[in-house]
Amino acid sequence: MLKIENLKKVFRTEEVETVALNGVSLEVNDGEFIAIMGPSGCGKSTLLNILGLLDNPTSGTYYLAGSEVGHLKESERTQARKGNIGFVFQSFNLIEEMNLFENVELPLVYMRINKSERKRRVEEALYRMNISHRAKHFPNQLSGGQQQRVAIARAIVANPKLILADEPTGNLDSKNGNDVMSLLTELNTEGTTIVMVTHSQHDAAYANRTINLFDGEIVTEVQL
Ligand code: ADP
């Protein structure tokens, strides 16, 4: 599915230079569920952003589904993400001004999918996440658990092969957190590859493999 080799990311401002990733190599197979753990500031989000083509590494290679994508221009990254990668964030990242249907529809609009097909797919994703009855509601009318289910619906609506999740249960109570982890596990069982950043040992236990980062380097890997 994806392979990174000797990935480095250095953030430079006028006064400071931060080495966020210092030579990270990792291969993730199709259908794996990987948890990335490590203390705050060790580079987890930076790594996930690069895997999600939201940012480029300073150096190193990144192969996604056989193509080198580590050094694309921003417009090329946007194109490469479309339909291929779904994102789930701790903060849900729903658009407040749009109702749930419109939020979930957005990736399909960017992909220029026609309206009737969009409707079909959005309804299916909302149904799957057990939130169809709220399609006309706005994000601020929902609980955190419901908002995260909508975010997962948006992540899966284009049928991506890869889902990247950054602390997906970080803002949820344990019941809603467990529901979200069960949904991710279900998607993984059906073949979706998942890479998830988490602080939680409990959530990491859902994964097949845990990668521990420290100071921008992989220090241990545990096969579960
Ligand atoms: P984690 O997700 O493990 O908490 P991050 O990947 O967010 O860690 O950050 C790794 C390091 O890179 C930290 O020292 C952080 O301050 C720094 N960093 C992250 N993003 C930026 C940025 N855009 N500009 C400058 N430094 C950054």
Side-chain angles (χ1 to χ4, degrees), residues 11 18 20 39-46:
F11 292 106
T18 307
S40 190
C42 72
K44 302 181 296 296
S45 297
T46 303

